Amino acid sequence: MPSPFPGMDPYLEHPDIFPDFHDSFVTYLRESLQPQLPEPYYAAIGRLAWIEISERFIGPDVDVVASWRSKVSARESSGGVAVANRSATEPLVIHVPHDERIEPLVEIYLGRGSARRLVTIIEVLSLTNKTPGERGRDLYLRKQEEILESQVHLVEIDLLRGGHHTTAVPFDRLTAAAEAFNYHVSIHHFDNLEDYFVYPFRLPDPLPTIAVPLLPGEPAVSLDLQAVLNRTYDAGPYHREIDYRTGPPAPPLSTDLRTWAAEKANQRAASE
């Protein structure tokens, strides 16, 4: 069952749903791109990985707390001052679990083996990339700067309305040049440092077909992002996972878009 929305489905932006959608979208993006690349170009999945302190809640050790309380009670019952005993040979162990985070991306190469050359990187922004203070955002921005200074094209796809502006195109210049938009794609060519090729679009619009650059002198490859989204939605759990009766999606929409989105969601809910 397809999404009830003609373009981006705002319910996919929910923090519990978007990570799965993000990774699947990257996979099907490569699938769509692969047969269109002329030999000897090919698309591969790359990964950005980092370690973070786990957000899982670790409660207090009940045995330790109970033991400490029993010692305090014994001291109080004997009339002494309640002081917990310390042991110089038995240190207190504080466990801080760490989680490995991995975010996939698409890399376009030319050639193979030791002669292969990285030509284009396609990034789909994640929730972490757009959240200030996140380790993943800091790493992404550092990597973004390195790519912009290299001989590699950069394609950035932002399908999230929330969070801070993250793509390489300066936000003030983007908002000054474009009409109102909710999402956008930014493309930077390494052989054209001063220009960004941007595809802005609103929630009711289908995702654009973009021109993915190859080496100078080679024609760009067309990539239909709406077809990729449709493939991702159809193959994923989203039509079963999303309850379109739960009200407007987050982050909040403008009044006109909220009414429009509610109509689409209600149509889906009525058909279920």
Side-chain angles (χ1 to χ4, degrees), residues 10 21 27 39 51 57 62 96 133 155 188:
F21 169 78
T27 298
E39 293 186 8
I51 301 296
F57 173 73
V62 177
V96 182
V155 179
H188 182 266

Side-chain angles (χ1 to χ4, degrees), residues 171-185:
F171 183 68
D172 55 345
R173 293 181 180 267
L174 173 58
T175 54
E179 297 180 357
F181 64 93
N182 303 112
Y183 314 99
H184 70 284
V185 179

Side-chain angles (χ1 to χ4, degrees), residues 5 10-11 161 182-183 202-204 244 246-267:
F5 294 89
Y11 289 86
R161 290 171 294 117
N182 303 112
Y183 314 99
R202 301 185 75 218
L203 177 60
Y244 289 100
T246 56
L253 295 163
S254 60
T255 302
D256 59 327
L257 288 181
R258 185 166 60 248
T259 301
W260 177 84
E263 291 176 355
K264 296 295 182 183
N266 290 337
Q267 290 173 5

Side-chain angles (χ1 to χ4, degrees), residues 45-61:
I45 296 292
R47 290 172 176 82
L48 178 64
W50 69 96
I51 301 296
E52 281 188 352
I53 294 178
S54 175
E55 296 180 357
R56 292 171 292 165
F57 173 73
I58 305 297
D61 189 318

Side-chain angles (χ1 to χ4, degrees), residues 21-34 37 42-49 102-109 116 118 120-124 143 228:
F21 169 78
H22 171 277
D23 293 1
S24 298
F25 188 87
V26 169
T27 298
Y28 292 121
L29 191 153
R30 181 187 65 168
E31 177 187 81
S32 178
L33 191 59
Q34 201 77 267
L37 290 171
Y42 63 90
I45 296 292
R47 290 172 176 82
L48 178 64
I102 299 175
E103 291 182 350
L105 56 123
V106 174
E107 298 173 333
I108 298 177
Y109 288 94
R116 79 171 185 169
L118 178 59
T120 306
I121 290 178
I122 304 177
E123 294 271 11
V124 180
K143 179 184 175 184
V228 176

